[in-house]
Amino acid sequence: MLRRGLLTWVSRVGGVLVLFCCSLSLLYVMTCSPPHSDDPPLSHALPRAGSNHPSQGGTRPGMGAGAGGTGGAGVGPAQSGGSPGVQSYQVLLQEREEQHRHHISSLKKEIAQLKEALQERSQQLKGVQESLKRGAGGPAEGQEAGLGSQGGGLGDIQGAKSPQADLQEFLRSQMSKAEVTAGIRLPSEYAVVAFESFTLQRVYQLEMGLTRHPEEKPVRRDKREELGEVLETAMHSLNAPSSPKDSRGAAEKSQSSKVYAPSDFIEGITRTEKDKGTLYELTFRGESSNEFRRLVLFRPFGPLMKVKNERVDTSDVPINIVVPLSRRTDKFKQFMQNFREVCVRQDGRVHLTVVYFGREQMSEVRSTLENTSREVNFKNYTLLQLDEEFSRGRGLDVGARAWTGGNVLLFFCDVDIYFTADFLNSCRLNTQPGKKVFYPVLFSQYNPTLIYGSLEHIPTVEQQLVIKKDTGFWRDFGFGMTCQYRSDFINIGGFDIDIKGWGGEDVHLYRKYVHSNLLVVRAPSRGLFHLWHEKHCADELPPDQYRMCMQSKAMNEASHGQLGMLFFRQEIEAHLRKQKQQHNSSPKKT
């Protein structure tokens, strides 16, 4: 009896439990089921990465008829079933996907290059080990096995480092040894490795080779491929999506909507340190006339490494042009014509300091400055007078120290110099207080009378400014034109004011910078010209200065070939007379 009652009770409890579980299940289904809506969920409207759903007409909804065949209307509401906002999300996602796909492909290419460089490095290391063993007379088999076991142990020790990390460490050590971000102390001016400057069409170089062409066009194939790769890498860096880790770069990228093209490239400079690698600095136009983008790349005998990608704003960088002068008022008037056009009308961020020696013709200089000030409303000039013997170093030193408006950028110049607005930007971009000074190599004109044959055939000054083998040469032995910040000039000690007259003071200052830790940027400048003028070497000059003056005078007259034609002119004329006589005396055919 008790047993039957217990079974009845258990069956009733089981039924209650089953009923309770069913109730819970029904309640759960009613609570978690989505509300009924005529619109499909957003997850169905947005395509997956790389999907090719037929309702979307392919993976590129913004490509006209390819998006469902609607005759260029893109993905319409009838095909996607979504609102215009959803369509914009689709386009945005796929653009992002395309950018990241390109970025991933470039990363894969870099990884492949790194692996190849690592293999070459391993082969070199293996060759060194073999040469060491041969130099030691060759180990026995047991020793060789011991060496192998030691090598295995070394591999175990370095197992924590990946081959890519080892290679990156080596490449970065190469970059740290080179003059990339800072200068190093050099023994003399002959140890300076000069830069080459280049544009999209030309390369301006000091080492001209057998051709003796100061500019190369068309560019040699190997050079063209090298610079093409550099420009492509720079463009990719400027236009690639910023990494999430680079928060500053991402913020600048979001603010900037500019897509950089090769036409935005202004110019670059490059030089190779043969035991370290090749440095490239490229300058692009920014979003305003006074804004630039500069990329620094380094090739440490391997893949390019991005050193810097910075925004350079030169709108607040004035230049104080310091000009020493003694008489030569006609040349000063010609200088002021160029100054008025380039510095006042085009640039507008220049101060002129003229240091005049003596009193003779001082009134003409003052009148020229006052006329310029009145005609173009230019007030940013200073005229200083020194009643002493002319000394270029003394004049530049006085003009630099007379400035009281803070740490200004100085450009030491002469009255026989012609420069462009592009050069002023190069002056700003290639100098940095406490880090870099700019020593441009200017293009020096030959005597126009010898080049063009006679005074009647000489064109205007602007038409003479052509960088060709027969019109001039890179004045690589001159260091007088330079851009540097006033603080660097003061800290380095300035000019040697004991040097009188012509020459020597510029080399003295240049050697000071070479012996310092500042980076000396030495590169040909396509916008800086030395206009030809007759040079007089005074008898009272010391022998070394007189020799330098005469060498400069000879170099300024004409090219080597043109001087040879002048030297052998009588011989050439005699030859021509003989040829004419032989031609006249030879019997004519009837």
Side-chain angles (χ1 to χ4, degrees):
M1 189 74 180
L2 179 62
R3 189 173 178 182
R4 185 182 301 171
L6 182 61
L7 289 173
T8 304
W9 183 80
V10 170
S11 63
R12 290 178 179 177
V13 170
V16 171
L17 288 175
V18 170
L19 183 62
F20 181 71
C21 290
C22 292
S23 302
L24 285 177
S25 301
L26 181 61
L27 181 63
Y28 175 79
V29 171
M30 294 176 62
T31 303
C32 296
S33 62
H36 178 71
S37 175
D38 294 334
D39 296 329
L42 186 62
S43 61
H44 293 286
L46 294 178
R48 296 182 181 179
S51 65
N52 198 14
H53 198 278
S55 65
Q56 300 300 327
T59 61
R60 302 177 66 183
M63 295 299 292
T70 58
V75 177
Q79 285 144 331
S80 66
S83 62
V86 173
Q87 299 173 28
S88 62
Y89 286 137
Q90 293 176 5
V91 175
L92 180 61
L93 284 175
Q94 293 181 4
E95 287 179 353
R96 285 290 185 180
E97 181 183 353
E98 191 71 20
Q99 291 176 355
H100 287 291
R101 190 176 295 118
H102 287 303
H103 191 53
I104 290 171
S105 64
S106 66
L107 289 177
K108 289 181 179 178
K109 181 180 178 181
E110 291 181 6
I111 291 172
Q113 292 174 344
L114 290 173
K115 288 181 179 179
E116 183 179 353
L118 181 61
Q119 291 177 357
E120 293 178 359
R121 184 70 176 168
S122 301
Q123 292 293 332
Q124 292 175 0
L125 182 60
K126 185 178 179 181
V128 171
Q129 290 177 348
E130 291 177 355
S131 63
L132 289 175
K133 288 193 291 184
R134 286 195 299 269
E141 290 184 4
Q143 293 173 333
E144 200 167 9
L147 183 62
S149 63
Q150 290 176 4
L154 182 62
D156 294 338
I157 293 174
Q158 294 181 345
K161 290 185 178 180
S162 65
Q164 287 84 357
D166 292 338
L167 180 60
Q168 287 286 353
E169 184 178 352
F170 166 74
L171 296 179
R172 293 190 183 280
S173 69
Q174 288 288 88
M175 186 172 66
S176 64
K177 296 174 186 176
E179 287 189 85
V180 176
T181 57
I184 59 175
R185 295 180 183 271
L186 300 175
S188 68
E189 63 268 29
Y190 300 103
V192 175
V193 180
F195 284 81
E196 294 179 354
S197 58
F198 61 95
T199 62
L200 288 176
Q201 291 84 19
R202 291 180 173 84
V203 175
Y204 302 91
Q205 53 198 5
L206 293 179
E207 300 295 333
M208 296 179 288
L210 294 176
T211 62
R212 300 299 296 172
H213 287 302
E215 53 91 24
E216 189 174 355
K217 181 188 177 182
V219 180
R220 230 174 37 239
R221 179 181 176 182
D222 58 337
K223 196 74 173 178
R224 183 172 65 248
E225 291 177 352
E226 174 197 3
L227 298 180
E229 180 190 0
V230 171
L231 184 61
E232 181 181 354
T233 303
M235 298 287 298
H236 175 76
S237 176
L238 288 172
N239 294 323
S242 302
S243 170
K245 296 180 180 179
D246 189 4
S247 58
R248 180 183 174 187
E252 288 186 358
K253 191 71 178 177
S254 62
Q255 294 176 2
S256 172
S257 59
K258 182 178 177 65
V259 177
Y260 289 87
S263 58
D264 295 316
F265 175 66
I266 301 175
E267 71 172 354
I269 59 175
T270 177
R271 71 173 179 180
T272 299
E273 295 182 67
K274 295 184 178 180
D275 59 339
K276 300 177 184 70
T278 304
L279 175 66
Y280 308 90
E281 291 189 20
L282 294 87
T283 303
F284 293 80
R285 294 182 182 88
E287 297 190 19
S288 64
S289 59
N290 295 323
E291 185 180 283
F292 302 86
R293 291 297 296 269
R294 177 169 57 200
L295 273 81
V296 180
L297 303 173
F298 184 68
R299 188 197 300 274
F301 300 119
L304 286 170
M305 300 176 65
K306 183 175 72 174
V307 179
K308 192 184 297 182
N309 183 353
E310 62 181 356
R311 193 183 302 271
V312 182
D313 187 3
T314 62
S315 58
D316 296 328
V317 183
I319 299 178
N320 182 15
I321 301 179
V322 185
V323 179
L325 184 63
S326 178
R327 296 184 291 273
R328 302 184 68 186
T329 54
D330 54 340
K331 289 291 182 182
F332 182 68
K333 291 178 181 178
Q334 183 180 10
F335 172 84
M336 288 304 298
Q337 290 178 358
N338 178 50
F339 182 90
R340 180 184 309 186
E341 177 62 29
V342 174
C343 299
V344 180
R345 292 195 174 99
Q346 297 182 26
D347 191 86
R349 293 162 291 163
V350 174
H351 184 95
L352 177 63
T353 300
V354 179
V355 183
Y356 192 81
F357 288 82
R359 296 182 178 276
E360 185 180 354
Q361 299 182 357
M362 175 67 179
S363 58
E364 295 183 37
V365 173
R366 180 180 286 108
S367 175
T368 301
L369 288 172
E370 291 175 352
N371 290 338
T372 302
S373 174
R374 182 170 53 255
E375 292 172 5
V376 295
N377 193 24
F378 177 73
K379 307 295 182 183
N380 298 326
Y381 72 90
T382 303
L383 178 60
L384 304 174
Q385 183 181 7
L386 299 178
D387 291 328
E388 54 189 79
E389 181 186 357
F390 176 78
S391 169
R392 184 177 186 273
R394 165 72 171 158
L396 294 174
D397 198 271
V398 169
R401 297 178 187 274
W403 177 268
T404 58
N407 191 20
V408 71
L409 177 58
L410 301 172
F411 170 38
F412 295 144
C413 189
D414 289 335
V415 292
D416 48 15
I417 297 299
Y418 185 99
F419 54 86
T420 65
D422 288 336
F423 168 75
L424 295 179
N425 282 328
S426 298
C427 184
R428 295 182 176 99
L429 293 168
N430 289 306
T431 52
Q432 194 171 355
K435 293 187 177 181
K436 290 196 297 186
V437 294
F438 184 37
Y439 270 84
V441 181
L442 54 82
F443 193 77
S444 187
Q445 271 189 325
Y446 289 140
N447 188 342
T449 305
L450 298 179
I451 296 173
Y452 300 102
S454 63
L455 293 174
E456 293 78 12
H457 296 91
I458 297 178
T460 61
V461 173
E462 289 76 11
Q463 293 175 337
Q464 296 177 36
L465 303 179
V466 180
I467 301 177
K468 296 294 180 183
K469 180 173 64 174
D470 295 329
T471 60
F473 65 99
W474 290 117
R475 201 180 184 89
D476 53 351
F477 57 84
F479 307 95
M481 309 311 124
T482 172
C483 298
Q484 54 199 261
Y485 275 87
R486 185 178 181 274
S487 59
D488 295 328
F489 177 78
I490 299 297
N491 293 334
I492 208 72
F495 283 103
D496 184 356
I497 58 177
D498 294 331
I499 299 177
K500 304 298 182 183
W502 183 92
E505 80 292 332
D506 52 350
V507 180
H508 187 270
L509 179 65
Y510 183 68
R511 286 174 177 167
K512 286 184 179 181
Y513 283 117
V514 168
H515 295 152
S516 73
N517 289 326
L518 294 176
L519 175 62
V520 177
V521 179
R522 181 78 168 153
S525 178
R526 57 191 173 90
L528 189 64
F529 296 86
H530 176 265
L531 302 179
W532 182 88
H533 60 87
E534 190 173 358
K535 186 178 291 294
H536 298 281
C537 299
D539 293 334
E540 57 269 16
L541 287 174
D544 55 343
Q545 284 186 272
Y546 186 82
R547 183 172 59 255
M548 291 173 61
C549 182
M550 291 302 296
Q551 289 175 352
S552 176
K553 182 176 181 178
M555 293 277 295
N556 283 346
E557 285 301 311
S559 66
H560 187 84
Q562 290 166 335
L563 289 176
M565 296 293 288
L566 290 175
F567 185 80
F568 297 109
R569 182 172 57 184
Q570 294 181 356
E571 215 175 299
I572 295 172
E573 290 177 352
H575 171 76
L576 293 176
R577 284 196 299 269
K578 289 180 181 179
Q579 291 289 325
K580 187 176 181 180
Q581 290 174 1
Q582 292 176 2
H583 178 75
N584 293 334
S585 61
S586 61
K588 298 181 179 180
K589 294 182 180 181
T590 58

